[in-house]
Amino acid sequence: MPDMKKVKLSEQTADRLYEMIVEEHLYEAGSKLPNENELSAALDVSRTTLREAISFLAVQGILEIRRGKGTFVAAELPTGGVDLTELSALHSRVRARDLFEMRLIFEPATAAMACQRATDEELRQIRKKAERMEEVSRQGGDWPLADQEFHLAIIKASHNEYMRRLYPIINSAVNEIMQISGNRRHMQDVAIEDNRLILEFLMKRDEVGARHAMSIHMKHLLNTLQE
């Protein structure tokens, strides 16, 4: 089993910078990044690590390195995946079933990879997301959003770029489904119990257990949708 403590810091830095640009929109398309000293300080890494991360994102088309001028966010950021909104003409219950069947295909494998690849800090963040989801549920808040953050933390910990980029697309479809679901309370109870089991296996780095726990969770959701 690979030791993810040995995952190159430059890769982790590239992941964080990608989030800041694409997911958090801290740097807009076409804008110039802060200079090396400022950005390396903000990310708490050396300038050498930062340069490696920038080179990695430049290859992906996220950043552009202009000699003598600096580093810029690409004017047109690359897009990937399919637009699930094209499925809006389908009956919502059929669409929901298909969506969770797709999650059943890849999320159990993602959970197993997270057991292999997650850093100790990433596991702590996953635990925090699970605890926050339960707290939000108790307070009557937006628990589906908190639950999605828990699952996203697992996907990030798998260190698979394609899965991470696919998840926001899936989230948009999940949000739409949750708005019309008549079983939100039951789904909330299912999510809390299942997340506890998933978390237990993740903390043990038990790949087989995490895979089965995530598979069971998706099957529970599928059954709930059919009720």
Side-chain angles (χ1 to χ4, degrees):
M1 179 184 298
D3 183 354
M4 277 300 108
K5 291 181 181 178
K6 296 180 181 177
V7 171
K8 292 183 66 175
L9 183 57
S10 59
E11 293 179 18
Q12 297 178 36
T13 304
D15 283 347
R16 178 60 190 135
L17 194 51
Y18 175 89
E19 291 173 357
M20 294 166 70
I21 296 169
V22 177
E23 299 174 9
E24 299 172 15
H25 305 290
L26 296 181
Y27 304 110
E28 297 297 328
S31 66
K32 183 180 179 180
L33 293 185
N35 64 45
E36 275 190 1
N37 288 334
E38 293 178 26
L39 194 53
S40 61
L43 294 168
D44 194 24
V45 296
S46 69
R47 287 186 295 173
T48 299
T49 297
L50 177 62
R51 290 188 198 113
E52 291 178 0
I54 287 174
S55 296
F56 180 75
L57 292 179
V59 171
Q60 295 187 53
I62 304 296
L63 296 176
E64 295 177 1
I65 302 171
R66 302 177 189 173
R67 301 301 176 189
K69 296 183 178 180
T71 302
F72 294 77
V73 179
E76 294 185 8
L77 294 172
T79 58
V82 295
D83 185 359
L84 296 183
T85 59
E86 294 177 359
L87 303 178
S88 59
L90 297 178
H91 189 281
S92 61
R93 189 169 294 261
V94 173
R95 188 156 40 91
R97 183 198 65 207
D98 289 348
L99 174 64
F100 283 99
E101 283 179 350
M102 182 175 69
R103 293 183 68 186
L104 175 60
I105 292 170
F106 83 85
E107 286 201 52
T110 303
M113 282 190 284
C115 288
Q116 294 178 342
R117 302 175 178 177
T119 64
D120 291 342
E121 175 59 27
E122 285 171 332
L123 289 179
R124 283 192 288 270
Q125 289 301 317
I126 291 170
R127 181 186 290 280
K128 286 182 180 179
K129 298 295 185 183
E131 292 171 350
R132 183 176 182 277
M133 185 270 188
E134 293 198 30
E135 180 62 26
V136 169
S137 298
R138 283 193 294 269
Q139 295 177 355
D142 189 355
W143 70 265
L145 176 59
D147 183 57
Q148 289 167 22
E149 291 176 351
F150 168 69
H151 285 272
L152 178 57
I154 295 173
I155 286 173
K156 287 180 178 178
S158 76
H159 294 270
N160 185 293
E161 188 69 18
Y162 283 97
M163 288 183 181
R164 192 178 72 175
R165 294 196 190 194
L166 176 64
Y167 196 67
I169 302 171
I170 292 174
N171 267 353
S172 65
V174 170
N175 287 336
E176 182 183 345
I177 290 164
M178 293 304 299
Q179 293 301 317
I180 62 175
S181 174
N183 292 328
R184 279 175 63 96
R185 183 51 190 268
H186 181 48
M187 293 181 78
Q188 172 184 307
D189 294 340
V190 166
I192 289 173
E193 291 301 318
D194 289 352
N195 286 357
R196 288 173 181 169
L197 186 60
I198 294 166
L199 180 64
E200 179 182 345
F201 287 114
L202 283 168
M203 292 300 107
K204 295 177 181 177
R205 295 187 183 271
D206 183 335
E207 299 171 44
V208 175
R211 183 189 294 271
H212 286 313
M214 186 66 78
S215 178
I216 289 169
H217 176 50
M218 293 304 157
K219 289 175 182 177
H220 281 165
L221 293 178
L222 276 166
N223 289 337
T224 301
L225 290 169
Q226 293 169 2
E227 292 177 356

